Amino acid sequence: QVQLQESGPGLVKPSQTLSLTCTVSGYSITTDYYWAWTRQPPGKGLEWMGTINYLGDTYYNPSLKSRAVIWRDTSKNQFTLQLSSVTPDDTAVYYCARSPNRVTRTKGPYWGQGTQVTVSS
């Protein structure tokens, strides 16, 4: 059974860096697929942030203006999102996911439950 679990802080101060980790069980992130980060601000739709594929290649949504970085720890079967210089506009529910496509904006069978992140002073 493939499962994904997000972890990280629920509250971050403006200008700080947010780090979230996705722990994957039941499937190796080095075998296949894209491993994605997506978020949903309150009252808005899903926003694809970026992906890292099974080879370690990364792809990002340019709307984030290079603030997002994704890397992986293959020994722990984890991949991590780092978002720098956060503002209250970064408040959202953050999801990690497995996808057959580079860009993923709709929920599928291999998504985490999501984690709420609030940016506030």
Side-chain angles (χ1 to χ4, degrees), residues 48-60:
W48 172 73
M49 302 183 71
T51 63
I52 184 166
N53 73 9
Y54 72 104
L55 298 174
D57 303 315
T58 53
Y59 309 88
Y60 302 103

mmCIF file with all atom_site columns, all heavy atoms in Angstrom, residues 48-60:
data_model
loop_
_atom_site.group_PDB
_atom_site.id
_atom_site.type_symbol
_atom_site.label_atom_id
_atom_site.label_alt_id
_atom_site.label_comp_id
_atom_site.label_asym_id
_atom_site.label_entity_id
_atom_site.label_seq_id
_atom_site.pdbx_PDB_ins_code
_atom_site.Cartn_x
_atom_site.Cartn_y
_atom_site.Cartn_z
_atom_site.occupancy
_atom_site.B_iso_or_equiv
_atom_site.pdbx_formal_charge
_atom_site.auth_seq_id
_atom_site.auth_comp_id
_atom_site.auth_asym_id
_atom_site.auth_atom_id
_atom_site.pdbx_PDB_model_num
ATOM 1   N N   . TRP A 1 48 ? -0.033 23.910 -8.277  1.00 0.00 ? 48 TRP A N   1
ATOM 2   C CA  . TRP A 1 48 ? 1.139  23.066 -8.380  1.00 0.00 ? 48 TRP A CA  1
ATOM 3   C C   . TRP A 1 48 ? 2.399  23.876 -8.100  1.00 0.00 ? 48 TRP A C   1
ATOM 4   O O   . TRP A 1 48 ? 2.582  24.967 -8.645  1.00 0.00 ? 48 TRP A O   1
ATOM 5   C CB  . TRP A 1 48 ? 1.218  22.446 -9.779  1.00 0.00 ? 48 TRP A CB  1
ATOM 6   C CG  . TRP A 1 48 ? 2.488  21.707 -10.047 1.00 0.00 ? 48 TRP A CG  1
ATOM 7   C CD1 . TRP A 1 48 ? 2.860  20.495 -9.537  1.00 0.00 ? 48 TRP A CD1 1
ATOM 8   C CD2 . TRP A 1 48 ? 3.554  22.129 -10.902 1.00 0.00 ? 48 TRP A CD2 1
ATOM 9   N NE1 . TRP A 1 48 ? 4.099  20.145 -10.021 1.00 0.00 ? 48 TRP A NE1 1
ATOM 10  C CE2 . TRP A 1 48 ? 4.543  21.120 -10.856 1.00 0.00 ? 48 TRP A CE2 1
ATOM 11  C CE3 . TRP A 1 48 ? 3.771  23.252 -11.700 1.00 0.00 ? 48 TRP A CE3 1
ATOM 12  C CZ2 . TRP A 1 48 ? 5.737  21.209 -11.582 1.00 0.00 ? 48 TRP A CZ2 1
ATOM 13  C CZ3 . TRP A 1 48 ? 4.951  23.338 -12.421 1.00 0.00 ? 48 TRP A CZ3 1
ATOM 14  C CH2 . TRP A 1 48 ? 5.915  22.328 -12.356 1.00 0.00 ? 48 TRP A CH2 1
ATOM 15  N N   . MET A 1 49 ? 3.269  23.361 -7.262  1.00 0.00 ? 49 MET A N   1
ATOM 16  C CA  . MET A 1 49 ? 4.476  24.077 -6.887  1.00 0.00 ? 49 MET A CA  1
ATOM 17  C C   . MET A 1 49 ? 5.722  23.530 -7.586  1.00 0.00 ? 49 MET A C   1
ATOM 18  O O   . MET A 1 49 ? 6.546  24.295 -8.073  1.00 0.00 ? 49 MET A O   1
ATOM 19  C CB  . MET A 1 49 ? 4.677  24.025 -5.377  1.00 0.00 ? 49 MET A CB  1
ATOM 20  C CG  . MET A 1 49 ? 3.515  24.597 -4.591  1.00 0.00 ? 49 MET A CG  1
ATOM 21  S SD  . MET A 1 49 ? 3.807  24.602 -2.811  1.00 0.00 ? 49 MET A SD  1
ATOM 22  C CE  . MET A 1 49 ? 5.059  25.886 -2.713  1.00 0.00 ? 49 MET A CE  1
ATOM 23  N N   . GLY A 1 50 ? 5.862  22.221 -7.611  1.00 0.00 ? 50 GLY A N   1
ATOM 24  C CA  . GLY A 1 50 ? 7.024  21.636 -8.241  1.00 0.00 ? 50 GLY A CA  1
ATOM 25  C C   . GLY A 1 50 ? 7.060  20.134 -8.058  1.00 0.00 ? 50 GLY A C   1
ATOM 26  O O   . GLY A 1 50 ? 6.262  19.563 -7.304  1.00 0.00 ? 50 GLY A O   1
ATOM 27  N N   . THR A 1 51 ? 8.010  19.489 -8.744  1.00 0.00 ? 51 THR A N   1
ATOM 28  C CA  . THR A 1 51 ? 8.155  18.041 -8.666  1.00 0.00 ? 51 THR A CA  1
ATOM 29  C C   . THR A 1 51 ? 9.623  17.650 -8.703  1.00 0.00 ? 51 THR A C   1
ATOM 30  O O   . THR A 1 51 ? 10.481 18.402 -9.177  1.00 0.00 ? 51 THR A O   1
ATOM 31  C CB  . THR A 1 51 ? 7.455  17.314 -9.830  1.00 0.00 ? 51 THR A CB  1
ATOM 32  O OG1 . THR A 1 51 ? 8.055  17.697 -11.067 1.00 0.00 ? 51 THR A OG1 1
ATOM 33  C CG2 . THR A 1 51 ? 5.974  17.605 -9.865  1.00 0.00 ? 51 THR A CG2 1
ATOM 34  N N   . ILE A 1 52 ? 9.887  16.464 -8.219  1.00 0.00 ? 52 ILE A N   1
ATOM 35  C CA  . ILE A 1 52 ? 11.158 15.799 -8.427  1.00 0.00 ? 52 ILE A CA  1
ATOM 36  C C   . ILE A 1 52 ? 10.832 14.399 -8.940  1.00 0.00 ? 52 ILE A C   1
ATOM 37  O O   . ILE A 1 52 ? 10.001 13.702 -8.367  1.00 0.00 ? 52 ILE A O   1
ATOM 38  C CB  . ILE A 1 52 ? 12.014 15.772 -7.139  1.00 0.00 ? 52 ILE A CB  1
ATOM 39  C CG1 . ILE A 1 52 ? 13.388 15.160 -7.429  1.00 0.00 ? 52 ILE A CG1 1
ATOM 40  C CG2 . ILE A 1 52 ? 11.304 15.058 -5.999  1.00 0.00 ? 52 ILE A CG2 1
ATOM 41  C CD1 . ILE A 1 52 ? 14.393 15.417 -6.298  1.00 0.00 ? 52 ILE A CD1 1
ATOM 42  N N   . ASN A 1 53 ? 11.458 14.002 -10.044 1.00 0.00 ? 53 ASN A N   1
ATOM 43  C CA  . ASN A 1 53 ? 11.135 12.691 -10.592 1.00 0.00 ? 53 ASN A CA  1
ATOM 44  C C   . ASN A 1 53 ? 12.038 11.620 -10.004 1.00 0.00 ? 53 ASN A C   1
ATOM 45  O O   . ASN A 1 53 ? 12.911 11.881 -9.173  1.00 0.00 ? 53 ASN A O   1
ATOM 46  C CB  . ASN A 1 53 ? 11.157 12.716 -12.125 1.00 0.00 ? 53 ASN A CB  1
ATOM 47  C CG  . ASN A 1 53 ? 12.562 12.809 -12.723 1.00 0.00 ? 53 ASN A CG  1
ATOM 48  O OD1 . ASN A 1 53 ? 13.575 12.700 -12.035 1.00 0.00 ? 53 ASN A OD1 1
ATOM 49  N ND2 . ASN A 1 53 ? 12.611 13.010 -14.035 1.00 0.00 ? 53 ASN A ND2 1
ATOM 50  N N   . TYR A 1 54 ? 11.817 10.394 -10.455 1.00 0.00 ? 54 TYR A N   1
ATOM 51  C CA  . TYR A 1 54 ? 12.518 9.251  -9.849  1.00 0.00 ? 54 TYR A CA  1
ATOM 52  C C   . TYR A 1 54 ? 14.015 9.269  -10.122 1.00 0.00 ? 54 TYR A C   1
ATOM 53  O O   . TYR A 1 54 ? 14.771 8.570  -9.430  1.00 0.00 ? 54 TYR A O   1
ATOM 54  C CB  . TYR A 1 54 ? 11.901 7.943  -10.335 1.00 0.00 ? 54 TYR A CB  1
ATOM 55  C CG  . TYR A 1 54 ? 12.203 7.587  -11.775 1.00 0.00 ? 54 TYR A CG  1
ATOM 56  C CD1 . TYR A 1 54 ? 13.138 6.604  -12.078 1.00 0.00 ? 54 TYR A CD1 1
ATOM 57  C CD2 . TYR A 1 54 ? 11.549 8.220  -12.820 1.00 0.00 ? 54 TYR A CD2 1
ATOM 58  C CE1 . TYR A 1 54 ? 13.419 6.270  -13.385 1.00 0.00 ? 54 TYR A CE1 1
ATOM 59  C CE2 . TYR A 1 54 ? 11.826 7.892  -14.132 1.00 0.00 ? 54 TYR A CE2 1
ATOM 60  C CZ  . TYR A 1 54 ? 12.761 6.921  -14.415 1.00 0.00 ? 54 TYR A CZ  1
ATOM 61  O OH  . TYR A 1 54 ? 13.041 6.586  -15.718 1.00 0.00 ? 54 TYR A OH  1
ATOM 62  N N   . LEU A 1 55 ? 14.457 10.059 -11.112 1.00 0.00 ? 55 LEU A N   1
ATOM 63  C CA  . LEU A 1 55 ? 15.872 10.217 -11.391 1.00 0.00 ? 55 LEU A CA  1
ATOM 64  C C   . LEU A 1 55 ? 16.511 11.345 -10.582 1.00 0.00 ? 55 LEU A C   1
ATOM 65  O O   . LEU A 1 55 ? 17.735 11.483 -10.584 1.00 0.00 ? 55 LEU A O   1
ATOM 66  C CB  . LEU A 1 55 ? 16.087 10.475 -12.877 1.00 0.00 ? 55 LEU A CB  1
ATOM 67  C CG  . LEU A 1 55 ? 15.645 9.358  -13.823 1.00 0.00 ? 55 LEU A CG  1
ATOM 68  C CD1 . LEU A 1 55 ? 15.783 9.807  -15.268 1.00 0.00 ? 55 LEU A CD1 1
ATOM 69  C CD2 . LEU A 1 55 ? 16.455 8.090  -13.566 1.00 0.00 ? 55 LEU A CD2 1
ATOM 70  N N   . GLY A 1 56 ? 15.680 12.181 -9.936  1.00 0.00 ? 56 GLY A N   1
ATOM 71  C CA  . GLY A 1 56 ? 16.176 13.315 -9.189  1.00 0.00 ? 56 GLY A CA  1
ATOM 72  C C   . GLY A 1 56 ? 16.100 14.639 -9.920  1.00 0.00 ? 56 GLY A C   1
ATOM 73  O O   . GLY A 1 56 ? 16.573 15.656 -9.396  1.00 0.00 ? 56 GLY A O   1
ATOM 74  N N   . ASP A 1 57 ? 15.522 14.665 -11.121 1.00 0.00 ? 57 ASP A N   1
ATOM 75  C CA  . ASP A 1 57 ? 15.349 15.915 -11.861 1.00 0.00 ? 57 ASP A CA  1
ATOM 76  C C   . ASP A 1 57 ? 14.203 16.727 -11.258 1.00 0.00 ? 57 ASP A C   1
ATOM 77  O O   . ASP A 1 57 ? 13.155 16.172 -10.917 1.00 0.00 ? 57 ASP A O   1
ATOM 78  C CB  . ASP A 1 57 ? 15.050 15.630 -13.332 1.00 0.00 ? 57 ASP A CB  1
ATOM 79  C CG  . ASP A 1 57 ? 16.127 14.795 -13.990 1.00 0.00 ? 57 ASP A CG  1
ATOM 80  O OD1 . ASP A 1 57 ? 17.319 15.084 -13.783 1.00 0.00 ? 57 ASP A OD1 1
ATOM 81  O OD2 . ASP A 1 57 ? 15.776 13.842 -14.723 1.00 0.00 ? 57 ASP A OD2 1
ATOM 82  N N   . THR A 1 58 ? 14.387 18.032 -11.155 1.00 0.00 ? 58 THR A N   1
ATOM 83  C CA  . THR A 1 58 ? 13.389 18.901 -10.551 1.00 0.00 ? 58 THR A CA  1
ATOM 84  C C   . THR A 1 58 ? 12.773 19.850 -11.559 1.00 0.00 ? 58 THR A C   1
ATOM 85  O O   . THR A 1 58 ? 13.415 20.256 -12.526 1.00 0.00 ? 58 THR A O   1
ATOM 86  C CB  . THR A 1 58 ? 13.998 19.718 -9.406  1.00 0.00 ? 58 THR A CB  1
ATOM 87  O OG1 . THR A 1 58 ? 15.163 20.409 -9.869  1.00 0.00 ? 58 THR A OG1 1
ATOM 88  C CG2 . THR A 1 58 ? 14.366 18.812 -8.242  1.00 0.00 ? 58 THR A CG2 1
ATOM 89  N N   . TYR A 1 59 ? 11.521 20.224 -11.299 1.00 0.00 ? 59 TYR A N   1
ATOM 90  C CA  . TYR A 1 59 ? 10.757 21.139 -12.127 1.00 0.00 ? 59 TYR A CA  1
ATOM 91  C C   . TYR A 1 59 ? 9.914  22.002 -11.197 1.00 0.00 ? 59 TYR A C   1
ATOM 92  O O   . TYR A 1 59 ? 9.344  21.502 -10.229 1.00 0.00 ? 59 TYR A O   1
ATOM 93  C CB  . TYR A 1 59 ? 9.858  20.378 -13.102 1.00 0.00 ? 59 TYR A CB  1
ATOM 94  C CG  . TYR A 1 59 ? 10.586 19.332 -13.902 1.00 0.00 ? 59 TYR A CG  1
ATOM 95  C CD1 . TYR A 1 59 ? 10.725 18.037 -13.408 1.00 0.00 ? 59 TYR A CD1 1
ATOM 96  C CD2 . TYR A 1 59 ? 11.147 19.629 -15.135 1.00 0.00 ? 59 TYR A CD2 1
ATOM 97  C CE1 . TYR A 1 59 ? 11.409 17.066 -14.125 1.00 0.00 ? 59 TYR A CE1 1
ATOM 98  C CE2 . TYR A 1 59 ? 11.827 18.670 -15.857 1.00 0.00 ? 59 TYR A CE2 1
ATOM 99  C CZ  . TYR A 1 59 ? 11.959 17.388 -15.349 1.00 0.00 ? 59 TYR A CZ  1
ATOM 100 O OH  . TYR A 1 59 ? 12.639 16.437 -16.070 1.00 0.00 ? 59 TYR A OH  1
ATOM 101 N N   . TYR A 1 60 ? 9.829  23.313 -11.500 1.00 0.00 ? 60 TYR A N   1
ATOM 102 C CA  . TYR A 1 60 ? 9.150  24.249 -10.618 1.00 0.00 ? 60 TYR A CA  1
ATOM 103 C C   . TYR A 1 60 ? 8.167  25.127 -11.363 1.00 0.00 ? 60 TYR A C   1
ATOM 104 O O   . TYR A 1 60 ? 8.349  25.433 -12.546 1.00 0.00 ? 60 TYR A O   1
ATOM 105 C CB  . TYR A 1 60 ? 10.171 25.147 -9.908  1.00 0.00 ? 60 TYR A CB  1
ATOM 106 C CG  . TYR A 1 60 ? 11.184 24.391 -9.097  1.00 0.00 ? 60 TYR A CG  1
ATOM 107 C CD1 . TYR A 1 60 ? 12.476 24.200 -9.574  1.00 0.00 ? 60 TYR A CD1 1
ATOM 108 C CD2 . TYR A 1 60 ? 10.848 23.866 -7.856  1.00 0.00 ? 60 TYR A CD2 1
ATOM 109 C CE1 . TYR A 1 60 ? 13.413 23.498 -8.834  1.00 0.00 ? 60 TYR A CE1 1
ATOM 110 C CE2 . TYR A 1 60 ? 11.775 23.164 -7.114  1.00 0.00 ? 60 TYR A CE2 1
ATOM 111 C CZ  . TYR A 1 60 ? 13.053 22.985 -7.602  1.00 0.00 ? 60 TYR A CZ  1
ATOM 112 O OH  . TYR A 1 60 ? 13.979 22.287 -6.853  1.00 0.00 ? 60 TYR A OH  1
#
